[in-house]
PDB file of all heavy atoms in Angstrom:
ATOM      1  N   ASN A 263     -18.527   5.908 -12.103  1.00  0.00           N
ATOM      2  CA  ASN A 263     -18.085   4.520 -12.146  1.00  0.00           C
ATOM      3  C   ASN A 263     -19.152   3.567 -11.638  1.00  0.00           C
ATOM      4  O   ASN A 263     -19.162   2.387 -11.985  1.00  0.00           O
ATOM      5  CB  ASN A 263     -16.795   4.344 -11.332  1.00  0.00           C
ATOM      6  CG  ASN A 263     -15.603   4.989 -12.002  1.00  0.00           C
ATOM      7  OD1 ASN A 263     -15.590   5.150 -13.218  1.00  0.00           O
ATOM      8  ND2 ASN A 263     -14.604   5.360 -11.231  1.00  0.00           N
ATOM      9  N   ASP A 264     -20.068   4.076 -10.796  1.00  0.00           N
ATOM     10  CA  ASP A 264     -21.147   3.228 -10.293  1.00  0.00           C
ATOM     11  C   ASP A 264     -22.004   2.660 -11.412  1.00  0.00           C
ATOM     12  O   ASP A 264     -22.633   1.616 -11.249  1.00  0.00           O
ATOM     13  CB  ASP A 264     -22.054   4.022  -9.341  1.00  0.00           C
ATOM     14  CG  ASP A 264     -21.430   4.181  -7.959  1.00  0.00           C
ATOM     15  OD1 ASP A 264     -20.373   3.574  -7.712  1.00  0.00           O
ATOM     16  OD2 ASP A 264     -22.006   4.909  -7.137  1.00  0.00           O
ATOM     17  N   ILE A 265     -22.085   3.380 -12.527  1.00  0.00           N
ATOM     18  CA  ILE A 265     -22.944   2.911 -13.610  1.00  0.00           C
ATOM     19  C   ILE A 265     -22.142   2.341 -14.777  1.00  0.00           C
ATOM     20  O   ILE A 265     -22.709   2.053 -15.825  1.00  0.00           O
ATOM     21  CB  ILE A 265     -23.863   4.047 -14.104  1.00  0.00           C
ATOM     22  CG1 ILE A 265     -23.058   5.280 -14.471  1.00  0.00           C
ATOM     23  CG2 ILE A 265     -24.914   4.377 -13.072  1.00  0.00           C
ATOM     24  CD1 ILE A 265     -23.902   6.414 -15.009  1.00  0.00           C
ATOM     25  N   LYS A 266     -20.828   2.180 -14.583  1.00  0.00           N
ATOM     26  CA  LYS A 266     -20.031   1.508 -15.608  1.00  0.00           C
ATOM     27  C   LYS A 266     -20.377   0.025 -15.580  1.00  0.00           C
ATOM     28  O   LYS A 266     -20.277  -0.607 -14.531  1.00  0.00           O
ATOM     29  CB  LYS A 266     -18.540   1.727 -15.328  1.00  0.00           C
ATOM     30  CG  LYS A 266     -17.631   1.174 -16.411  1.00  0.00           C
ATOM     31  CD  LYS A 266     -16.225   1.745 -16.283  1.00  0.00           C
ATOM     32  CE  LYS A 266     -15.570   1.360 -14.974  1.00  0.00           C
ATOM     33  NZ  LYS A 266     -14.194   1.833 -14.863  1.00  0.00           N
ATOM     34  N   PRO A 267     -20.820  -0.542 -16.694  1.00  0.00           N
ATOM     35  CA  PRO A 267     -21.292  -1.936 -16.663  1.00  0.00           C
ATOM     36  C   PRO A 267     -20.217  -2.901 -16.178  1.00  0.00           C
ATOM     37  O   PRO A 267     -19.056  -2.835 -16.595  1.00  0.00           O
ATOM     38  CB  PRO A 267     -21.664  -2.213 -18.124  1.00  0.00           C
ATOM     39  CG  PRO A 267     -21.856  -0.872 -18.749  1.00  0.00           C
ATOM     40  CD  PRO A 267     -20.916   0.052 -18.031  1.00  0.00           C
ATOM     41  N   ILE A 268     -20.590  -3.789 -15.270  1.00  0.00           N
ATOM     42  CA  ILE A 268     -19.713  -4.868 -14.832  1.00  0.00           C
ATOM     43  C   ILE A 268     -20.162  -6.129 -15.560  1.00  0.00           C
ATOM     44  O   ILE A 268     -21.334  -6.515 -15.470  1.00  0.00           O
ATOM     45  CB  ILE A 268     -19.782  -5.048 -13.305  1.00  0.00           C
ATOM     46  CG1 ILE A 268     -19.270  -3.783 -12.612  1.00  0.00           C
ATOM     47  CG2 ILE A 268     -18.973  -6.261 -12.862  1.00  0.00           C
ATOM     48  CD1 ILE A 268     -19.327  -3.845 -11.108  1.00  0.00           C
ATOM     49  N   PRO A 269     -19.281  -6.767 -16.303  1.00  0.00           N
ATOM     50  CA  PRO A 269     -19.695  -7.871 -17.182  1.00  0.00           C
ATOM     51  C   PRO A 269     -19.972  -9.172 -16.426  1.00  0.00           C
ATOM     52  O   PRO A 269     -19.242 -10.166 -16.550  1.00  0.00           O
ATOM     53  CB  PRO A 269     -18.497  -8.019 -18.130  1.00  0.00           C
ATOM     54  CG  PRO A 269     -17.320  -7.582 -17.314  1.00  0.00           C
ATOM     55  CD  PRO A 269     -17.841  -6.474 -16.429  1.00  0.00           C
ATOM     56  N   LEU A 270     -21.035  -9.188 -15.634  1.00  0.00           N
ATOM     57  CA  LEU A 270     -21.407 -10.402 -14.912  1.00  0.00           C
ATOM     58  C   LEU A 270     -22.077 -11.390 -15.856  1.00  0.00           C
ATOM     59  O   LEU A 270     -22.846 -11.000 -16.747  1.00  0.00           O
ATOM     60  CB  LEU A 270     -22.355 -10.072 -13.760  1.00  0.00           C
ATOM     61  CG  LEU A 270     -21.819  -9.158 -12.650  1.00  0.00           C
ATOM     62  CD1 LEU A 270     -22.908  -8.912 -11.624  1.00  0.00           C
ATOM     63  CD2 LEU A 270     -20.586  -9.752 -12.006  1.00  0.00           C
ATOM     64  N   THR A 271     -21.796 -12.652 -15.666  1.00  0.00           N
ATOM     65  CA  THR A 271     -22.469 -13.688 -16.440  1.00  0.00           C
ATOM     66  C   THR A 271     -23.884 -13.892 -15.900  1.00  0.00           C
ATOM     67  O   THR A 271     -24.224 -13.422 -14.801  1.00  0.00           O
ATOM     68  CB  THR A 271     -21.705 -15.013 -16.363  1.00  0.00           C
ATOM     69  OG1 THR A 271     -21.752 -15.483 -14.997  1.00  0.00           O
ATOM     70  CG2 THR A 271     -20.252 -14.839 -16.791  1.00  0.00           C
ATOM     71  N   GLN A 272     -24.710 -14.595 -16.660  1.00  0.00           N
ATOM     72  CA  GLN A 272     -26.050 -14.887 -16.177  1.00  0.00           C
ATOM     73  C   GLN A 272     -25.987 -15.705 -14.896  1.00  0.00           C
ATOM     74  O   GLN A 272     -26.789 -15.508 -13.973  1.00  0.00           O
ATOM     75  CB  GLN A 272     -26.850 -15.647 -17.242  1.00  0.00           C
ATOM     76  CG  GLN A 272     -28.321 -15.823 -16.892  1.00  0.00           C
ATOM     77  CD  GLN A 272     -29.036 -14.506 -16.720  1.00  0.00           C
ATOM     78  OE1 GLN A 272     -28.941 -13.621 -17.574  1.00  0.00           O
ATOM     79  NE2 GLN A 272     -29.762 -14.333 -15.618  1.00  0.00           N
ATOM     80  N   GLN A 273     -25.030 -16.637 -14.819  1.00  0.00           N
ATOM     81  CA  GLN A 273     -24.871 -17.440 -13.602  1.00  0.00           C
ATOM     82  C   GLN A 273     -24.557 -16.558 -12.404  1.00  0.00           C
ATOM     83  O   GLN A 273     -25.106 -16.754 -11.307  1.00  0.00           O
ATOM     84  CB  GLN A 273     -23.744 -18.465 -13.796  1.00  0.00           C
ATOM     85  CG  GLN A 273     -23.478 -19.314 -12.555  1.00  0.00           C
ATOM     86  CD  GLN A 273     -22.248 -20.208 -12.713  1.00  0.00           C
ATOM     87  OE1 GLN A 273     -21.522 -20.108 -13.689  1.00  0.00           O
ATOM     88  NE2 GLN A 273     -22.015 -21.071 -11.737  1.00  0.00           N
ATOM     89  N   GLU A 274     -23.698 -15.538 -12.593  1.00  0.00           N
ATOM     90  CA  GLU A 274     -23.343 -14.634 -11.495  1.00  0.00           C
ATOM     91  C   GLU A 274     -24.519 -13.750 -11.097  1.00  0.00           C
ATOM     92  O   GLU A 274     -24.756 -13.528  -9.904  1.00  0.00           O
ATOM     93  CB  GLU A 274     -22.131 -13.788 -11.914  1.00  0.00           C
ATOM     94  CG  GLU A 274     -20.850 -14.606 -12.028  1.00  0.00           C
ATOM     95  CD  GLU A 274     -19.746 -13.912 -12.790  1.00  0.00           C
ATOM     96  OE1 GLU A 274     -20.045 -12.928 -13.521  1.00  0.00           O
ATOM     97  OE2 GLU A 274     -18.584 -14.342 -12.694  1.00  0.00           O
TER      98      GLU A 274
END
Side-chain angles (χ1 to χ4, degrees):
N263 289 335
D264 282 353
I265 53 178
K266 185 164 63 177
I268 297 179
L270 298 178
T271 66
Q272 188 60 50
Q273 178 187 7
E274 291 164 343

